[in-house]
Amino acid sequence: MISIDNYDFKGKRALIRVDFNVPLNENGEVTDDTRIRAAIPTIKKVLAEGGSAILMSHMGRPKKNPDAKYSLEQIVSTIEKNLGTTVMFAGDCIGEKAAEMAKNLKPGEVMLLENLRFYAEEEGKPRGLAADATKEEKDAAKKALKEGPQKEFVAKLAAMGDCYINDAFGTAHRKHASTYLIAKNFPNDKMFGYLLGKEVKAIASVMENPQHPFCAIIGGSKVSSKIGVIKALIEKVDSIIIGGGMTYTFAAAQGGKVGNSICEPDMFPVALEILELAKQKGVKLVMSPDALIADDFSASANTNTAPANNIPEGWEGVDIADEGKKRFCEHILECKTILWNGPVGVFEIDKFATGSKEVALAIAEATKKGAYSLIGGGDSVACVNKFGLADQVSYISTGGGALLEYIEFGDLPGVAAIRD
Ligand code: AMP
């Protein structure tokens, strides 16, 4: 596999897939440039070695072309500020103007393509289908898009560059034109950017070579979105702390009363299956015996505590309570490898955030004692940032969905496309 450190970029135009899907305010200003900053080392490397950079990214979920709200022109000045150099804006991601600009790119120059998702070809999802289209019609439209326009789209993107770098971990689980298909056009000139390389290394080290005891803390709102990952983790970890809204599906599946808590009755069989699987594999499932309960899903709610499996009607579990905090934190402090995805309560509301805060503090403490901690998924990362602990954990992953899929399947399409 080619490494960005050994590749000769001199006089080459590097097509770099970055993840510049950054949040904007109502004036179109970037409110958090973390993702832009994360890609800077890769871009600077190319420029320093005498190459030029063609940056490509998606932003949001535009459904038409063009769509001013999602135009990447809005982020040009933020990239320039972080990169310390001028960034030319192509106005489109394919087409004559972009191709011409790419052709004339000189060493040291940087250009940014317009939002890739202005074209349905990027994701390979057809647009404009009738609302009552049948599955057959949808499948046929998808096939037609993939076999025709998407291939042309990939070829046009690829024609602009001499080499391809994928540095977008957040979309590495997608088989999209710019994250997956395009790699085939560069059999001898494709590589990971620094960010993607770092992510892959961090997750692979946790999943393939963890120090034991290895604990995964899985929180968030629903079991349904985490089943695959929990099942995959059962094969690897010594224990799983289950927190957040999914606690109540587990409690109710075992006959508990959960009041108005978030609960997915159709997931009861899966919850029971997970409990059984963990037992068979000798994996300890750690759950909170108590819950902070609220009579409303708001900051002005009245609160109380109750056993997590005996919540009165009219109340819902929104966080772990004292016993849960003690149990979770003591357990975390005994572990040598810790993976955290998903808050253990509704951390966005301060008075429901103390459980997640205690968990974050315990992870920081365990890390200080020598454990390796990997935090991933937008909300757990937001938690760690909210409590000012980002520099006290071992690694913060930039990908939520990508991280979970990597854990579940042991690989990602965007990663495999570069490697294979
Ligand atoms: P996820 O995207 O599945 O990781 O879920 C993250 C979301 O789960 C956050 O917005 C939390 O507010 C939410 N969450 C955590 N605990 C609960 C709970 N007990 N009830 C409802 N939502 C929760």
Side-chain angles (χ1 to χ4, degrees):
M1 212 174 92
I2 303 157
S3 149
I4 184 169
D5 283 318
N6 300 330
Y7 190 80
D8 181 10
F9 288 104
K10 202 153 182 227
K12 301 232 171 84
R13 295 162 306 162
L15 258 176
I16 313 179
R17 178 48 160 107
V18 287
D19 179 4
F20 285 173
N21 183 24
V22 291
L24 303 175
N25 65 17
E26 59 281 6
N27 300 322
E29 293 154 348
V30 177
T31 53
D32 179 352
D33 66 355
T34 309
R35 287 181 169 158
I36 293 177
R37 281 190 282 115
I40 297 297
T42 294
I43 307 170
K44 281 198 167 159
K45 170 73 179 169
V46 170
L47 303 182
E49 299 295 325
S52 54
I54 303 168
L55 309 178
M56 52 179 180
S57 178
H58 75 284
M59 181 192 274
R61 297 182 186 276
K63 294 279 178 282
K64 57 180 182 180
N65 181 20
D67 187 341
K69 193 173 154 215
Y70 295 107
S71 173
L72 289 186
E73 190 165 17
Q74 301 170 98
I75 68 168
V76 168
S77 59
T78 310
I79 307 172
E80 288 179 331
K81 200 175 78 203
N82 280 289
L83 200 56
T85 190
T86 309
V87 174
M88 293 180 266
F89 184 61
D92 197 349
C93 62
I94 51 171
E96 269 174 37
K97 190 183 160 205
E100 194 62 21
M101 196 182 261
K103 204 171 107 196
N104 295 323
L105 213 55
K106 296 190 190 59
E109 288 186 340
V110 183
M111 69 180 262
L112 173 68
L113 300 181
E114 180 55 291
N115 194 338
L116 294 158
R117 289 196 189 164
F118 280 3
Y119 289 84
E121 286 86 336
E122 164 64 359
E123 294 180 272
K125 278 193 210 149
R127 286 181 192 158
L129 280 169
D132 59 355
T134 61
K135 184 173 179 309
E136 286 72 29
E137 284 165 340
K138 284 184 192 161
D139 288 347
K142 197 167 177 180
K143 191 161 175 267
L145 177 66
K146 286 189 175 261
E147 286 176 0
Q150 193 181 44
K151 284 196 171 146
E152 278 171 43
F153 181 76
V154 171
K156 284 180 187 166
L157 283 178
M160 287 188 273
D162 303 303
C163 60
Y164 168 68
I165 302 177
N166 190 351
D167 210 18
F169 180 68
T171 45
H173 56 314
R174 310 277 187 214
K175 279 190 167 177
H176 291 171
S178 68
T179 60
Y180 177 72
L181 298 172
I182 196 169
K184 288 199 183 67
N185 293 58
F186 298 93
N188 302 310
D189 302 274
K190 55 182 181 177
M191 64 209 93
F192 294 145
Y194 286 123
L195 175 65
L196 186 54
K198 220 164 61 176
E199 293 275 3
V200 169
K201 205 168 147 206
I203 302 168
S205 75
V206 162
M207 295 310 288
E208 283 154 27
N209 217 353
Q211 291 240 53
H212 293 274
F214 177 8
C215 166
I217 306 160
I218 303 294
S221 52
K222 293 181 173 171
V223 183
S224 50
S225 60
K226 308 264 163 108
I227 304 164
V229 81
I230 294 177
K231 284 187 180 167
L233 282 167
I234 286 178
E235 303 294 327
K236 303 267 183 187
V237 301
D238 303 296
S239 59
I240 303 181
I241 293 181
I242 303 257
M246 71 181 85
T247 309
Y248 310 105
T249 298
F250 278 95
Q254 296 172 90
K257 292 199 190 97
V258 297
N260 292 4
S261 308
I262 191 167
C263 181
E264 297 174 281
D266 54 330
M267 287 291 127
F268 288 173
V270 174
L272 295 175
E273 187 198 338
I274 287 171
L275 290 169
E276 183 54 35
L277 202 62
K279 201 153 106 193
Q280 275 172 24
K281 301 276 175 185
V283 171
K284 190 171 175 190
L285 289 187
V286 184
M287 301 209 195
S288 174
D290 55 359
L292 177 77
I293 57 172
D295 60 359
D296 189 22
F297 199 79
S298 76
S300 55
N302 294 304
T303 57
N304 207 335
T305 56
N309 60 1
N310 197 9
I311 297 175
E313 278 310 316
W315 294 77
E316 62 191 295
V318 287
D319 195 4
I320 53 175
D322 289 349
E323 284 302 312
K325 287 178 190 166
K326 189 161 171 275
R327 188 179 286 186
F328 284 11
C329 294
E330 280 174 4
H331 187 75
I332 289 166
L333 287 170
E334 286 167 5
C335 295
K336 284 271 169 276
T337 304
I338 302 154
L339 169 76
W340 185 21
N341 175 274
V344 299
V346 185
F347 81 103
E348 296 93 336
I349 297 175
D350 282 348
K351 64 182 189 185
F352 307 155
T354 59
S356 298
K357 183 174 184 178
E358 297 276 328
V359 164
L361 283 167
I363 296 174
E365 178 73 24
T367 311
K368 207 156 116 194
K369 284 182 17 196
Y372 184 86
S373 52
L374 191 154
I375 322 294
D379 285 315
S380 354
V381 176
C383 259
V384 169
N385 286 332
K386 177 171 172 152
F387 308 126
L389 297 168
D391 57 351
Q392 293 177 50
V393 296
S394 310
Y395 190 78
I396 296 189
S397 173
T398 55
L403 172 71
L404 294 183
E405 287 201 20
Y406 202 163
I407 292 169
E408 186 172 347
F409 303 111
D411 205 356
L412 293 175
V415 171
I418 298 279
R419 193 193 51 227
D420 301 336

